[in-house]
């Protein structure tokens, strides 16, 4: 899988590159609008992470260019300016997703995976991990062919942990992904624990398990 | 008290004093003049009587005031020497008035027809009480007339003169710095008012500029902080993933991440607040509050369960209001979050959605909160270090933007009520 990161802030770029390279993606980068246009013209990518504000041009123009060239790349807009206008314009121009800064590395991995899966398997390919099979369309979870019933939050936690399997997912990242941005002022993320406990119980027959990483968060391990 | 009445009141007081003093002075001056002229008349009569006595000595026999206004009393030579001219005021019964009236008596000694006589001439005198009465009533009339004149003059003239001033203060009364209203001034020829107009206009322009700059500054500052914050958090996330760390180190890292998370939330809240105030949420739609409330309640279910509190919807009805959807979600969430964060663990939180009001009640400190502190930024009650101190100010800013009223009351618990305009 080839991914292009268009981002002008070198440290931001470095973090994103390292995270995605851990997932065995081939990562290339462009720091300017012109460089990005050159790369898009010359190569094909599976997913493009696009910063809207570039020193020499608006990232949204790159998106227009991609659509004009009828390229099939999945595009995730990354923006420090979390404005509704940007979001709507980006999505209208054909972006697959919109990721406002600051974001957690776990969130980036999950979003990239979701885009890649949708692009490459047209969204109806089930996720298989160990003896767990998930149908993202119907939100059904099977353990060894047996349908298990997860509530909405438990399902979201499981898929998020699967997207970040064997990686440490912080409580904050998990809470913000599952409960949304607005939960963020709740006084502690400890409430996640009871949800995890329920999920663990339901996952007992599975070959995957959710491990707590002391004080920080959780990690999904495959037996 | 209005400026007009204020000055009139002082004028009236001043006039009262001036007219009283003037009345006293006038009264004595007049009385003095009257006596002077009476005395002149009496002396003149004396001379006339002396002349008549030479022609007709029989008048020297008149010794009472029944028939004449004069009397002659024979006296001895030594008495004549001693007798001095004098005026005396006394009372005498007047037939026409049927009362004792003041008269002035002129006493003098004369030598006539070879004998010595004491001559007394009387004349009716001014009635002082009548004079005073007349004077007072005329002065009261004058006083009333003058005050009336001042009032009319003030109302007609001062009103016209102060017109630019009143025009200005009428506008200042409705002026709000955060509303983008501008101030107009009335043209005037009066130098002081021109100065006032230009000064106030300049002052407001500069205040508005600072206000805009400050708002823009907060937005820009929060915005600039996003990227470094993202970099630091992401670097730490990558760090704790790679290194095999001890539990102790993990706890330290978790604490660093927690605090960075808090900083991020604080920054996001500030940015949100600035964006609301900078009118960056233009999109509006009919928001179904019943549905929104159910969504929020389900989102907060886990947190409530963790605190052993129940979110109980006591009353609900179909209700919708036109506003920005994202802001509506934030508004409702912030109110629920506030109740959860400050509510006593284990105590239920009651919600009521009525036709024009949404109220949320939680148990907590047994005393009411200070109303002026509740919606102030960074005013935290208690020691909750994770709270940003911006949740309620944001809710308040959203409410104000859409003409909703967010109020606090304390009866059987801390209650926040969102009232929708009817």
């Amino acid at each position: 899988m080839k991914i292009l990161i268009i981002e002008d802030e070198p440290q931001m770029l470095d973090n994103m590159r390292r995270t995605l390279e851990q997932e065995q993606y081939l990562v290339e980068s462009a720091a300017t609008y012109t460089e990005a246009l050159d790369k898009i013209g010359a190569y094909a990518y599976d997913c493009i992470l696009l910063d809207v504000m570039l020193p020499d041009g608006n990232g949204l123009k790159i998106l227009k260019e991609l659509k004009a060239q009828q390229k099939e790349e999945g595009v995730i807009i990354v923006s420090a300016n979390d404005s509704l206008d940007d979001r709507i314009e980006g999505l209208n121009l054909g972006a697959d997703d919109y990721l406002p800064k600051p974001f957690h590395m776990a969130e980036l991995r999950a979003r990239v995976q979701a885009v890649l899966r949708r692009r490459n398997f047209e969204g109806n390919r089930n996720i298989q991990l160990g003896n767990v099979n998930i149908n993202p369309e119907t939100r059904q979870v099977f353990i060894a062919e047996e349908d298990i019933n997860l509530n909405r939050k438990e399902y979201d936690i499981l898929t998020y942990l699967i997207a970040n399997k064997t990686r440490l997912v912080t409580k904050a990242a998990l809470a913000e992904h599952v409960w949304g941005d607005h939960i963020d002022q709740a006084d502690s993320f400890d409430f996640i624990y009871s949800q995890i406990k329920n999920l663990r119980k339901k996952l007992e027959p599975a070959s995957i398990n959710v491990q707590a990483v002391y004080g920080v968060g959780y990690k999904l391990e495959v037996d | 008290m209005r400026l007009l009445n204020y000055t009139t009141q002082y004028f009236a007081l001043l006039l009262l004093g001036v007219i009283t003093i003037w009345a006293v002075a006038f009264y004595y001056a007049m009385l003095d003049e009257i006596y002077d002229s009476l005395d002149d008349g009496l002396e003149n009569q004396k001379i006339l009587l002396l002349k008549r006595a030479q022609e007709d000595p029989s008048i020297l026999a008149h010794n009472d005031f029944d028939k004449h206004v004069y009397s002659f009393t024979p006296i001895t030579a030594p008495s004549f020497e001693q007798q001095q001219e004098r005026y005396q005021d006394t009372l005498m019964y007047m037939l026409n008035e049927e009362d004792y009236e003041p008269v002035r008596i002129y006493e003098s000694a004369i030598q006539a027809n070879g004998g010595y006589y004491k001559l007394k001439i009387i004349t009716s005198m001014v009635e002082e009480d009548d004079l005073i009465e007349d004077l007072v009533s005329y002065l009261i009339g004058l006083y009333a007339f003058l005050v009336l004149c001042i009032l009319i003059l003030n109302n007609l003239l001062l009103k016209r003169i102060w017109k630019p001033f009143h025009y200005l203060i009428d506008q200042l009364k409705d002026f709000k710095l955060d509303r983008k209203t501008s101030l107009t001034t009335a043209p005037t020829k009066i130098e002081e008012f021109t100065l006032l107009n230009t000064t106030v206009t300049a002052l407001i322009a500069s205040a508005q500029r600072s206000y805009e700059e400050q708002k823009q500054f907060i937005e820009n500052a929060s915005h600039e902080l996003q990227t470094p914050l993202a970099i630091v958090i992401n670097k730490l996330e990558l760090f704790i993933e790679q290194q095999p760390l001890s539990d102790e180190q993990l706890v330290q890292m978790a604490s660093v991440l927690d605090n960075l998370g808090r900083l991020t939330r604080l920054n996001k809240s500030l940015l949100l607040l600035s964006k609301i105030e900078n009118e960056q949420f233009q999109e509006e739609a009919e928001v179904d509050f019943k549905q929104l409330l159910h969504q929020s309640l389900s989102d907060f279910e886990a947190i409530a369960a963790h605190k052993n509190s129940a979110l109980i919807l006591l009353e609900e009805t179909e209700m919708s209001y036109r506003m920005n959807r994202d802001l509506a979600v934030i508004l409702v969430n912030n109110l629920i979050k506030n109740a959860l964060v400050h509510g006593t663990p284990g105590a239920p939180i009651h919600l009521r959605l009525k036709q024009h009001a949404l109220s949320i009640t939680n148990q907590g400190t047994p005393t009411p909160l200070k109303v002026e502190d509740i919606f102030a930024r960074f005013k935290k009650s208690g020691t909750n270090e994770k709270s940003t101190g911006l949740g309620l100010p944001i809710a308040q800013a959203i409410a104000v933007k859409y003409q909703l009223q967010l109020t606090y009351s304390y009866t059987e618990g801390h209650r926040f009520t969102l009232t929708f305009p009817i």
Side-chain angles (χ1 to χ4, degrees):
Chain A
M1 296 280 181
K2 239 169 109 183
I3 294 171
L4 175 66
I5 306 174
I6 304 169
E7 166 69 63
D8 64 316
E9 167 60 50
Q11 298 195 65
M12 196 77 208
L13 176 67
D14 182 53
N15 285 340
M16 289 159 83
R17 175 198 287 276
R18 279 169 60 194
T19 306
L20 296 174
E21 277 176 354
Q22 278 174 8
E23 302 296 304
Q24 314 302 323
Y25 298 126
L26 202 63
V27 180
E28 287 195 20
S29 65
T32 62
Y33 176 80
T34 357
E35 196 184 343
L37 276 188
D38 284 352
K39 291 221 160 149
I40 289 164
Y43 310 101
Y45 298 93
D46 295 293
C47 179
I48 295 173
L49 294 167
L50 177 61
D51 187 354
V52 178
M53 281 192 277
L54 293 169
D56 55 344
N58 189 323
L60 291 177
K61 269 160 70 185
I62 297 176
L63 189 57
K64 280 183 201 153
E65 186 61 29
L66 275 172
K67 296 300 154 188
Q69 292 181 21
Q70 297 192 318
K71 297 246 180 184
E72 289 296 308
E73 275 94 341
V75 177
I76 299 174
I77 291 172
V78 177
S79 170
N81 184 20
D82 183 14
S83 80
L84 203 64
D85 293 345
D86 269 13
R87 192 188 296 238
I88 290 170
E89 196 184 350
L91 296 179
N92 281 345
L93 283 173
D96 293 81
D97 209 346
Y98 180 94
L99 186 58
K101 284 182 192 172
F103 48 79
H104 297 282
M105 291 286 99
E107 190 65 39
L108 176 67
R109 283 193 288 255
R111 302 279 185 112
V112 170
Q113 258 183 44
V115 166
L116 289 177
R117 207 177 53 242
R118 274 207 299 275
R119 289 275 147 182
N120 295 337
F121 310 110
E122 278 145 8
N124 42 30
R125 174 76 172 261
N126 285 13
I127 303 163
Q128 179 80 41
L129 186 68
N131 62 355
V132 178
N133 190 292
I134 298 171
N135 184 341
E137 288 283 289
T138 59
R139 295 173 73 95
Q140 274 176 304
V141 179
F142 302 93
I143 300 175
E145 309 297 316
E146 195 182 330
D147 192 350
I148 59 160
N149 191 21
L150 297 185
N151 69 28
R152 196 160 57 92
K153 301 291 183 216
E154 287 161 354
Y155 175 86
D156 287 344
I157 294 171
L158 179 63
T159 48
Y160 194 61
L161 288 174
I162 286 176
N164 289 286
K165 59 180 180 291
T166 72
R167 304 273 172 223
L168 171 59
V169 176
T170 62
K171 282 187 279 188
L174 190 58
E176 280 164 35
H177 176 83
V178 177
W179 279 272
D181 260 1
H182 307 310
I183 213 81
D184 61 7
Q185 278 174 356
D187 54 347
S188 109
F189 292 120
D190 292 340
F191 67 89
I192 297 175
Y193 177 69
S194 46
Q195 303 283 317
I196 296 279
K197 216 164 64 181
N198 294 340
L199 181 63
R200 273 188 186 143
K201 235 177 257 167
K202 292 180 182 173
L203 287 180
E204 262 166 14
S207 62
I208 55 172
N209 66 82
V210 181
Q211 286 182 356
V213 179
Y214 191 63
V216 187
Y218 299 94
K219 196 190 260 188
L220 189 86
E221 293 288 6
V222 186
D223 295 341
Chain B
M1 186 181 269
R2 289 180 58 211
L3 182 71
L4 239 139
N5 301 336
Y6 196 73
T7 48
T8 309
Q9 168 195 304
Y10 276 101
F11 270 127
L13 271 173
L14 188 75
L15 266 181
L16 193 67
V18 167
I19 286 182
T20 311
I21 294 167
W22 185 83
V24 172
F26 178 72
Y27 172 72
Y28 283 109
M30 210 157 98
L31 219 54
D32 194 54
E33 193 54 46
I34 290 167
Y35 285 152
D36 206 40
S37 118
L38 279 178
D39 296 350
D40 284 351
L42 287 169
E43 263 180 72
N44 185 49
Q45 262 197 320
K46 176 188 159 188
I47 297 164
L48 287 174
L49 278 171
L50 276 176
K51 273 188 182 168
R52 261 179 71 187
Q54 278 173 356
E55 291 161 15
D56 177 15
S58 69
I59 61 163
L60 291 170
H62 296 149
N63 59 357
D64 59 48
F65 294 118
D66 288 347
K67 289 184 188 135
H68 306 282
V69 293
Y70 54 87
S71 74
F72 293 94
T73 320
I75 49 169
T76 56
S79 305
F80 175 75
E81 294 297 324
Q82 277 165 20
Q83 180 68 42
Q84 280 175 355
E85 299 210 334
R86 61 184 187 137
Y87 298 97
Q88 197 191 339
D89 295 339
T90 185
L91 293 175
M92 184 175 271
Y93 191 82
M94 296 275 176
L95 286 169
N96 62 337
E97 301 265 343
E98 293 180 334
D99 197 7
Y100 287 95
E101 292 295 331
V103 288
R104 199 165 174 83
I105 301 174
Y106 175 49
E107 275 184 23
S108 176
I110 53 158
Q111 196 184 5
N113 209 18
Y116 298 108
Y117 297 91
K118 185 159 104 182
L119 170 63
K120 280 185 182 176
I121 309 170
I122 61 164
T123 180
S124 168
M125 214 175 56
V126 85
E127 291 170 47
E128 274 180 55
D129 52 345
D130 284 356
L131 181 69
I132 290 173
E133 224 169 76
D134 282 355
L135 199 62
V136 166
S137 54
Y138 275 105
L139 285 178
I140 287 174
L142 176 70
Y143 176 72
F145 180 70
L146 281 176
V147 169
L148 194 72
C149 279
I150 290 170
L151 264 175
I152 290 168
L153 207 67
N154 268 358
N155 274 296
L156 288 179
L157 198 68
L158 285 188
K159 232 180 207 171
R160 264 178 66 129
I161 294 173
W162 286 86
K163 212 174 179 175
F165 178 77
H166 289 294
Y167 183 76
L168 189 68
I169 58 169
D170 274 348
Q171 287 199 66
L172 283 177
K173 208 162 53 191
D174 299 327
F175 184 77
K176 289 262 164 59
L177 201 55
D178 51 354
R179 277 192 234 135
K180 286 186 183 98
T181 47
S182 59
L183 207 77
T184 54
T185 51
T188 170
K189 283 178 197 157
I190 301 167
E191 203 177 316
E192 281 83 355
F193 287 151
T194 315
L195 189 67
L196 182 71
N197 283 347
T198 50
T199 315
V200 167
T201 312
L203 198 67
I204 281 169
S206 116
Q208 258 172 341
R209 206 165 44 240
S210 314
Y211 184 76
E212 285 304 315
E213 275 169 8
Q214 190 214 339
K215 279 204 305 191
Q216 210 54 52
F217 174 79
I218 295 174
E219 190 181 333
N220 292 345
S222 324
H223 197 240
E224 287 303 315
L225 281 170
Q226 300 277 63
T227 306
L229 269 173
I231 292 170
V232 174
I233 292 173
N234 293 346
K235 277 200 190 304
L236 273 173
E237 282 173 344
L238 287 168
F239 177 77
I240 52 174
E241 264 178 37
Q242 288 169 352
Q243 244 76 2
L245 299 169
S246 71
D247 280 0
E248 174 60 27
Q249 286 169 321
L250 272 175
V251 170
Q252 294 296 325
M253 280 297 150
S255 157
V256 174
L257 272 176
D258 259 6
N259 280 299
L260 283 171
R262 223 177 111 199
L263 194 57
T264 310
R265 287 193 289 278
L266 182 64
N267 198 46
K268 270 189 184 171
S269 299
L270 273 177
L271 194 55
L272 176 66
L273 203 51
S274 313
K275 281 182 172 176
I276 295 167
E277 287 176 353
N278 292 350
E279 304 285 327
Q280 290 184 25
F281 291 89
Q282 302 289 350
E283 202 99 349
E284 280 182 15
E286 207 63 39
V287 178
D288 178 350
F289 268 77
K290 186 179 170 186
Q291 187 245 327
L292 190 154
L293 194 58
H294 279 279
Q295 174 66 43
S296 293
L297 288 178
S298 106
D299 281 346
F300 283 103
E301 214 182 301
I303 300 176
H306 181 70
K307 288 198 80 175
N308 281 321
S309 300
L311 292 163
I312 303 167
L313 192 54
L314 291 175
E315 222 183 310
E316 61 177 323
T317 177
E318 293 295 336
M319 213 278 282
S320 68
Y321 188 71
R322 192 169 177 82
M323 64 187 291
N324 182 284
R325 201 187 151 75
D326 286 357
L327 292 184
V329 173
I330 293 169
L331 175 58
V332 170
N333 280 350
N334 279 10
L335 291 178
I336 297 177
K337 232 178 313 193
N338 178 69
L340 276 169
V341 171
H342 299 290
T344 312
I349 291 161
H350 292 146
L351 297 101
R352 287 183 179 87
L353 180 63
K354 295 180 192 165
Q355 200 49 55
H356 295 290
L358 168 65
S359 72
I360 298 170
T361 313
N362 68 275
Q363 302 303 317
T365 50
T367 47
L369 306 169
K370 271 194 198 158
V371 180
E372 64 268 30
D373 284 356
I374 292 172
F375 300 112
R377 293 174 193 186
F378 302 118
K379 282 271 183 187
K380 295 184 204 174
S381 71
T383 49
N384 194 318
E385 58 168 28
K386 297 264 170 89
S387 139
T388 58
L390 287 174
L392 287 177
I394 287 174
Q396 172 80 326
I398 296 171
V400 168
K401 181 176 161 72
Y402 294 103
Q403 295 88 42
L404 310 174
Q405 266 192 314
L406 182 57
T407 49
Y408 165 79
S409 64
Y410 181 85
T411 41
E412 73 257 45
H414 303 278
R415 171 178 293 177
F416 286 90
T417 309
L418 196 61
T419 315
F420 296 82
I422 297 168

